Amino acid sequence: MKENPVQASVEPLINYFNKLIPLNEQERELVTELFKPRLYRKKQYVLQEGDICNQFNFVVRGCLRLYKVDEKGNTHIIQFAPENWWINDIRSFHKKLPSELNIDALEDTMILQINHENLITLYKNAPKFDRIFRVLLENSFVTIQNRLLQNISSTAEERYISFIQTYSQLSNRLSQTQIASFLGITPEFLSRMRARLVKPKS
């Protein structure tokens, strides 16, 4: 039997939800109906500064990044989103305000998207998802809070070790420049720090 490509692409998301709270048949059908698959090529924008973030994004395969470009043209990476991660500009999505952030693909990336209207439809037809997305937002808040605390109270080495623990699957997929931008240090400093960490202690 020929595989349904939409059903195949949504399966990782259904598995993700099932690990949180098992879904019944009607809920699985809602997910299949309301989440839309989309492929973004490497370097393609998912969201550009100035646009309103209209989609909640779940990464099926590949990797996205959320970042801000400052007035001097420097890139500050806020989040990476590999497989089974969520990514969006929460402020822009819920307030319907122009985003100050960008999201683009670091690799060819398949994602599942749900817009605000369909998310409300999902909540109304299956209240279980209201709880699931509340937990997702709480987890996102905790992650942002931890990142803020790290930026004001941790050394670069401590932030790098935390990065490796959080994004263990990405350490060989990201460039040194991308990791340095996430950590708020220069690529040269990151290179010296990595060399120091792997050097055997005498």
Side-chain angles (χ1 to χ4, degrees):
M1 182 182 294
K2 191 173 181 180
E3 187 179 50
N4 181 332
V6 175
Q7 184 63 41
S9 66
V10 85
E11 205 58 39
L13 179 57
I14 290 175
N15 292 338
Y16 177 93
F17 286 139
N18 274 329
K19 288 178 182 174
L20 298 175
I21 306 176
L23 305 183
N24 60 35
E25 185 59 34
Q26 180 194 1
E27 291 160 347
R28 288 195 290 271
E29 289 176 0
L30 274 171
V31 171
T32 304
E33 176 188 346
L34 297 175
F35 280 84
K36 310 299 181 190
R38 184 162 178 189
L39 174 66
Y40 286 88
R41 296 297 182 187
K42 184 177 180 180
K43 297 184 179 180
Q44 187 176 357
Y45 282 105
V46 177
L47 172 71
Q48 271 191 285
E49 181 179 350
D51 294 341
I52 294 176
C53 181
N54 291 314
Q55 306 287 343
F56 222 101
N57 305 298
F58 176 82
V59 178
V60 176
R61 66 172 185 273
C63 183
L64 302 178
R65 65 172 174 174
L66 174 72
Y67 65 98
K68 168 75 177 175
V69 179
D70 67 20
E71 293 177 352
K72 296 180 179 177
N74 299 314
T75 299
H76 304 274
I77 298 177
I78 298 168
Q79 181 196 350
F80 296 108
E83 293 80 6
N84 293 328
W85 280 59
W86 296 87
I87 189 168
N88 77 343
D89 180 346
I90 294 173
R91 169 183 166 276
S92 177
F93 183 80
H94 285 288
K95 299 289 186 183
K96 300 295 180 190
L97 294 172
S99 180
E100 297 180 10
L101 305 172
N102 301 280
I103 299 174
D104 68 2
L106 298 176
E107 305 167 348
D108 289 351
T109 301
M110 171 65 77
I111 64 176
L112 290 164
Q113 298 181 313
I114 187 167
N115 63 32
H116 197 272
E117 183 182 356
N118 282 343
L119 188 59
I120 299 302
T121 300
L122 189 65
Y123 291 164
K124 287 179 178 175
N125 287 280
K128 184 183 293 181
F129 288 101
D130 198 0
R131 298 199 301 276
I132 290 175
F133 275 84
R134 189 188 68 209
V135 170
L136 290 176
L137 290 175
E138 288 172 353
N139 290 341
S140 176
F141 180 77
V142 169
T143 300
I144 292 170
Q145 193 173 53
N146 286 339
R147 189 147 156 67
L148 283 172
L149 283 172
Q150 280 187 345
N151 285 343
I152 62 176
S153 62
S154 301
T155 65
E157 186 171 312
E158 289 169 338
R159 296 200 301 276
Y160 176 67
I161 292 171
S162 175
F163 165 82
I164 293 297
Q165 292 169 343
T166 304
Y167 295 107
S168 57
Q169 71 274 54
L170 287 181
S171 57
N172 294 325
R173 292 162 61 183
L174 299 174
S175 70
Q176 189 146 290
T177 300
Q178 290 163 346
I179 296 173
S181 173
F182 179 84
L183 297 174
I185 59 179
T186 65
E188 294 77 15
F189 185 84
L190 174 61
S191 179
R192 291 196 297 274
M193 185 168 64
R194 278 175 149 173
R196 190 169 63 246
L197 287 172
V198 299
K199 185 178 179 181
K201 293 181 179 179
S202 56

